[in-house]
Amino acid sequence: MASRIAICRGILSRNSGFGIRSMSSWWGHVQPAPKDPILCVTEAFLADPSPDKVNVGVGAYRDNNGKPVVLQCVREAERRISGNQNMEYLPMGGSVKMVEETLKLAYGENSDLLKEKRIAAVQALSGTGACRLFADFQKRFRPDSQIYIPMPTWANHHNIWRDAQVPQRTFHYYHPETRGLDFATLMDDIKNAPNGSFFLLHACAHNPTGVDPTEEQWSQISYQFKVKGHFPFFDMAYQGFASGDPERDAKAIRIFLGDGHSIGCAQSYTKNMGLYGQRVGCLSVVCEDEKQSVAVKSQLQQIARPMYSNPPVHGALIVSTILSDPDLKNLWLKEVKAMADRIIGMRTALRENLEKLGSPLSWEHITKQIGMFCYSGLTPEQVDRLTNDFHIYMTRNGRISMAGVTTSNVGYLATAIHEVTKSGSK
Amino acid sequence: MRRFLGRKWMSTSTVGWWDNVVPAPKDPMLSVTEAFLSDTHPKKINLGVGAFRDDEGNPVVLQCVRDAEARVAGAEYLESLSRQGSLKLVMESVKLAYGENSDVVKEGNFAGVQAISGTDACRLFAEFQRRFQPESRIYLPVPTWPNHHNIWRDAQVPQRTFQYYNPASKGLHFAALMDDVKNAPNRSFFLLHPCAHNPTGIDPTDEQWRDISYLFKVKNHFPFFDMAYQGFASGDLEKDAQAIRIFLDDGHLIGCAQSFAKTMGLYGQRVGCLSVLCVDKNQATAVKSQLQQIARAMYSNPPVHGALLVSTILGDPSLKSLWVKEVKVMSDRIMKMRAALRDNLEKLGSARTWEHITNQVGMFWYSGLNPEQVDRLRNEFHIYMTHDGRISMAGVTTGNVDYLTNAIHEVTKSG
């Protein structure tokens, strides 16, 4: 055999036409993927030499000096774990301790569901990973189902359920005229969806609008979900970050649990613990009993195994170190509140500034909306003017990241917004 | 309206969402570990473990890793830092795989992305393959790491197998392999282990790799390499990448998954890299953007910590030297245990041949023990391994190699 090949190799030399191009037409047809709009904003901002430039496109927290923040509780946790731990694989379902503490946050420390072990839960690659595991699980075990996604929502929600091959529908959510919740139409959409539909809900600090239902509205939504037998899937990316109080931010979920819904929930520590690059999150699915939760968890792990085998350990260790130490946990709660308070303070300042400038428009939505983002209602043209004339960068849907607003730039920002909107009515 | 409808009515109308969900089959590796952990016998040995252990049986964190940890501690969490760390990781990984002075590295005609260890590197490629070569299938060696089957299945790429291991010789079934490569339709995708094949530890020789590469050229096949053990197989990083270099020399534009789980002992940090060679920079940019799109809907961005460790180590000459030394130490310990086990068994006057213990490379010894023998080892001797007879040499120490030898001899002497 070997000699036969040797002869062949002698006859057919490298130059005989087996050139690179004949073997390489694998990916010639691959088009560049559409660029991430948020990344474009950041790139443009970085390239701008203007000393006045303001980046309110960034979806990450900044302090009042515009600097990224690593929380003290995180630093302390890092210090404790550095050099101490081995780097062995986590189980497929991730850090048991981290998941336990994370469930307490969402479901409440004294939740019956926890006591009865009815929650199937696994560590996930932040909120994205949690949503994707659920989407794949939904596809596998409810193959005829669809997902109802609010309008608008975080763009990646569409990518996630699409790649999981779950058909998508949308439901009304944001009301452009009021810059608030389109509650009546939302309820209509819930009623008109086929019974037993799957809905994606933002538990708090809706991204990108910052518009959340009131508690009363959540109660009504929950009731209607009961009537229709819908499945509520909560994506909670901002617990603690919205109001400053994690218990308060979990209210929607608690309302649904109180009504007996068996929910699904994605949680993320990206924003509320500032753990952006560490990719720490959790997916939980409420089950009828412990036996079912064992089965569901095993299937979630089966989905994770051919994706990444087991989740990364470092971020999970940070989270479990913080949450299982009462002092560190208290420190975290203080720091989360401080971040939320700064955002709320900037909302107030921006609104006051605009009103003082005598803007003809209403800006109360700035303080009514909650969380990192303000859906300003600015048109794409107005956004472009802000960028070109004032070096202020945001996404063209008019979403302002309040995290980019500081006491030093809020006046300038207000002036610029006033400039591009003062001729407007409404 | 709500006041009149009590909770009781509501709960009976609740749909049982997941009644149809059955427990997934138990992971065989997990079962081995669980059984081992609950065994109280003082001489128990866990040979299922896929992670390196020192001669005391303890997990090891490399010194270069500890040093890198100290350097990255206190680092900012800037998103841009994550991106930079990721780019650096990719650059350093590609240098390792293709060679620092390779054209690939110099010209940059590759799409490289950080991945969540080798699993995700394979998965990203499988998804990419499905998306952009939708008619293609993947040929997997028999046997292979079981999760390869799961990965390409979940990516919905049809699978075939090609012959690899020869149970009779406990070596490579080269003739059958070449036949399968020849008989596959032109332009088929093949998964290859460039070194330390998992689970058999059997690698083609350089000459055999050259023949395989040549046949791939004739057939216009796509070679995808899963390199999880670079440095760990022979102790020499360059030598372990030889298969890849051979294919590169022949002008193949390969795909390659790399993992730092074993070679840098970074298991739980989940650090890896996927690279796909392209004809030019435009293509590389397009391919990379599509890989990132796939990743975006799975986990957005990969975890930063492990990437920072790897890029710190590989980007610093003294840390890199330290790492190279430490990899060799790990590899040497494995080889020493292989030699010791073989010597012992031969000294016991075993009628069987044991040369495959030292012929095979890497962490695993594909012992050829049958399931009954594996069961006996567990039940009578408290020695644990997977049912395919795969033994992790990392679980063997100077302290237990004699006990292990006697046990293996016992269960095989009549065979």
Side-chain angles (χ1 to χ4, degrees), chain B residues 5-209:
Chain B
L5 291 166
R7 184 159 299 172
K8 204 161 172 206
W9 179 86
M10 287 189 172
S11 52
T12 53
S13 72
T14 303
V15 182
W17 294 106
W18 314 116
D19 289 345
N20 61 330
V21 176
V22 293
K26 211 161 186 206
D27 184 282
M29 192 74 56
L30 204 65
S31 309
V32 170
T33 307
E34 278 176 2
F36 169 79
L37 288 171
S38 38
D39 187 330
T40 52
H41 194 273
K43 291 200 138 156
K44 66 178 181 177
I45 309 178
N46 186 357
L47 300 176
V49 64
F52 183 76
R53 294 285 180 266
D54 65 14
D55 202 42
E56 267 83 56
N58 295 321
V60 171
V61 178
L62 302 185
Q63 188 55 46
C64 61
V65 170
R66 285 286 181 233
D67 289 350
E69 255 195 327
R71 287 193 205 181
V72 309
E76 293 301 329
Y77 280 11
L78 275 174
E79 304 78 62
S80 57
L81 186 75
S82 296
R83 269 196 296 281
Q84 278 165 31
S86 207
L87 287 172
K88 192 142 193 283
L89 168 86
V90 168
M91 207 53 228
E92 294 297 335
S93 301
V94 165
K95 282 192 216 165
L96 267 188
Y98 303 110
E100 277 203 39
N101 300 313
S102 64
D103 287 340
V104 170
V105 169
K106 288 205 198 105
E107 292 160 17
N109 294 339
F110 65 90
V113 291
Q114 180 187 342
I116 305 182
S117 213
T119 305
D120 177 48
C122 287
R123 179 61 178 269
L124 288 180
F125 183 79
E127 294 283 340
F128 179 73
Q129 178 186 351
R130 161 97 177 133
R131 224 169 257 213
F132 293 100
Q133 292 282 339
E135 308 301 314
S136 69
R137 350 159 137 143
I138 186 78
Y139 280 77
L140 301 174
V142 177
T144 192
W145 182 47
N147 208 23
H148 282 144
H149 292 285
N150 301 331
I151 291 167
W152 269 270
R153 182 203 62 223
D154 275 18
Q156 299 179 320
V157 174
Q159 305 179 12
R160 295 283 183 280
T161 55
F162 66 95
Q163 294 173 85
Y164 190 85
Y165 176 67
N166 187 351
S169 65
K170 296 192 178 63
L172 184 68
H173 206 337
F174 186 59
L177 185 157
M178 292 296 270
D179 276 347
D180 285 353
V181 170
K182 205 182 306 144
N183 292 331
N186 288 0
R187 291 175 68 81
S188 293
F189 283 64
F190 277 75
L191 170 81
L192 304 167
H193 300 222
C195 63
H197 179 272
N198 178 4
T200 69
I202 290 159
D203 294 337
T205 61
D206 282 359
E207 184 54 35
Q208 287 172 328
W209 276 123

Side-chain angles (χ1 to χ4, degrees), chain A residues 95-106 108 114 121 269 282 323:
Chain A
S95 159
V96 170
K97 193 90 196 79
M98 192 277 286
V99 167
E100 259 172 31
E101 292 296 332
T102 304
L103 293 181
K104 285 190 210 164
L105 277 182
L114 281 173
Y269 288 100
C282 178
L323 294 182

